Each structure stands twice: as C-alpha cells, then as structure tokens.
C-alpha cells in the first residue's frame, strides 16, 4: 500500500522501515521537508499535505497534542488514518480530555471524512525493529479500534506484516482504554524500570 508516515521521529522512522521491508511504499510527511531530508538522507520526505495526497493510509506519528496539524489542510475522504498518538504532558504524565474522550475520538469528530483507526500507540519506538521483535518469545500485541470494519482489517494486515499481533477491541470508544494502556506502559517502562524494548502480549 501507499502509506504516509506523518512524523519522522524514531517511532515514525522505525515503523516506516518495517512497513517498507514488508513491501509497502512509504513517504514521510513533515513541517519542513528540506531540513528533514538533510537530517535523514535516503527517505522520501514531503510536506504533510503532499504526503497525504500521495497515500491511501496515513499514520499519525507526531505528538498527540499536534495530531490535528497534518490533517488540517488535506483531503481525507476515504483515507485510513491510523492514530498512534498518546496525549502527554512534558513530564510524560497523561493529558486528560474533557469527558474522558480519547484523542482518536476527537480526531474522528474533527475530520469525519477520515476512517480513523487507533493502533500502534502501545508499542514503543524501540520495539519497532526487526531484531527486537524477532527476539521476543511471542509477538507483541497492538490493540486496534475503529468504526470502519474494512479500515480495521487493513490496519490489522499492516500490523501482521511487520510481526505484531493485531487485536481488534471494538469501536472508537475503546480508544480510551488503548490510550490508558499506553500510559500504563510508560509507567512500567519508566518508574517500573523495565525499559522501552518490552511490549504487551495477549495469550
């Protein structure tokens, strides 16, 4: 598939590399393509809007507080948007939205033409490396939710392509639980001292 990774930080680059190894066509969307291209030569970098226009699937790999930015000036009708974000304060504590709404629900409400799927948000960037994933005794899980069954199927296929175990958990209201699980994961990795090469498994 043609996939735009919005964000070229460690998470986006690692996920893009795995998807590319699986045979997908990857471009990166950023605010400043010249600067990013100089920093990361060898990857195809465009402005957010151009990367989205070229792609069937958009991956939001930017900080959750600016997740709307890549989507705000782009035609999204029929496109799958994978929301990998978690809303975090500067000290990595969770940002709680009014009414307990998830960031994925907010994005779907703001961009109703998009087919939003929550996914990959409980997987650390350090896990998204082939050698790390292959060293685990069982595949790491990624929990998926959304309102569009065909979009969920596509995202589940992408997760399986890179060696994750996709588990669909319901509609977008379940994104609240996925985002809470990500905050627990951060707590385990930091205060629990487990590091960022661990993940959840469902057995």
């Amino acid at each position: 598939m043609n996939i735009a990774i919005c964000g070229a930080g460690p998470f986006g680059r690692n996920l893009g590399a795995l998807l590319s190894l699986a045979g997908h066509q990857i471009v990166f969307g950023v605010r400043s393509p010249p600067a990013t291209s100089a920093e990361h030569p060898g990857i195809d970098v465009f402005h957010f809007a151009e990367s989205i226009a070229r792609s069937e699937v958009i991956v939001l790999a930017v900080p959750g507080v600016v997740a709307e930015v890549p989507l705000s000036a782009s035609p999204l009708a029929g496109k799958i948007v994978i929301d990998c974000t978690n809303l975090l304060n500067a000290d990595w504590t969770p940002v709680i939205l009014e009414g307990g709404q998830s960031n994925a629900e907010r994005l779907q409400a703001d961009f109703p033409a998009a087919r939003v799927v929550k996914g990959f948000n409980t997987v650390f960037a350090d896990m998204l490396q082939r050698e790390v994933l292959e060293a685990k005794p069982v595949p790491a899980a990624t929990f998926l939710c959304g309102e569009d069954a065909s979009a969920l199927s596509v995202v589940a296929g992408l997760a399986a392509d890179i060696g994750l175990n996709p588990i669909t958990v319901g509609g977008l209201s379940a994104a609240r639980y996925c985002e809470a699980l990500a905050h627990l994961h951060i707590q385990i990795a930091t205060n629990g001292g487990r590091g960022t090469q661990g993940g959840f498994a469902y057995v």
Side-chain angles (χ1 to χ4, degrees):
M1 301 191 75
N2 294 317
I3 300 172
I5 309 284
C6 291
F11 181 92
R13 294 199 311 275
N14 287 357
L15 180 58
L18 288 174
L19 289 168
S20 180
L21 285 171
H24 300 286
Q25 302 300 310
I26 306 301
V27 296
F28 287 85
V30 297
R31 290 177 185 264
S32 178
T36 304
S37 296
E39 183 182 355
H40 304 295
I43 65 174
D44 293 325
V45 180
F46 303 93
H47 285 289
F48 287 131
E50 185 174 355
S51 70
I52 290 172
R54 291 169 173 262
S55 304
E56 306 161 83
V57 176
I58 298 99
V59 177
L60 292 179
V62 294
V65 291
V66 295
E68 294 92 339
V69 172
L71 306 180
S72 60
S74 304
L76 297 172
K79 292 183 183 286
I80 297 170
V81 174
I82 307 174
D83 174 27
C84 309
T85 69
N86 297 299
L87 286 172
L88 299 170
N89 293 304
D91 62 356
W92 285 65
T93 56
V95 174
I96 307 300
L97 294 175
E98 184 177 353
Q101 186 183 45
S102 68
N103 208 34
E105 290 173 289
R106 181 174 69 169
L107 289 170
Q108 185 67 87
D110 288 346
F111 304 99
R115 302 156 70 194
V116 175
V117 173
K118 191 76 187 184
F120 302 104
N121 71 301
T122 59
V123 183
F124 285 123
D126 287 346
M127 274 285 287
L128 293 174
Q129 303 174 78
R130 175 176 277 183
E131 63 274 16
V132 176
L133 291 171
E134 290 180 347
K136 303 302 177 184
V138 295
T142 182
F143 302 97
L144 310 177
C145 57
E147 302 300 331
D148 186 303
S150 62
L152 281 167
S153 178
V154 167
V155 179
L158 295 176
D161 284 348
I162 65 172
L164 297 175
N165 177 23
I167 300 174
T168 300
V169 297
L172 268 188
S173 61
R176 304 176 187 193
Y177 311 133
C178 295
E179 293 177 12
L181 190 59
H183 297 310
L184 174 63
H185 198 189
I186 291 168
Q187 187 77 3
I188 293 169
T190 55
N191 292 348
R194 299 297 184 92
T196 55
Q197 289 193 353
F200 294 112
Y202 191 81
V203 296

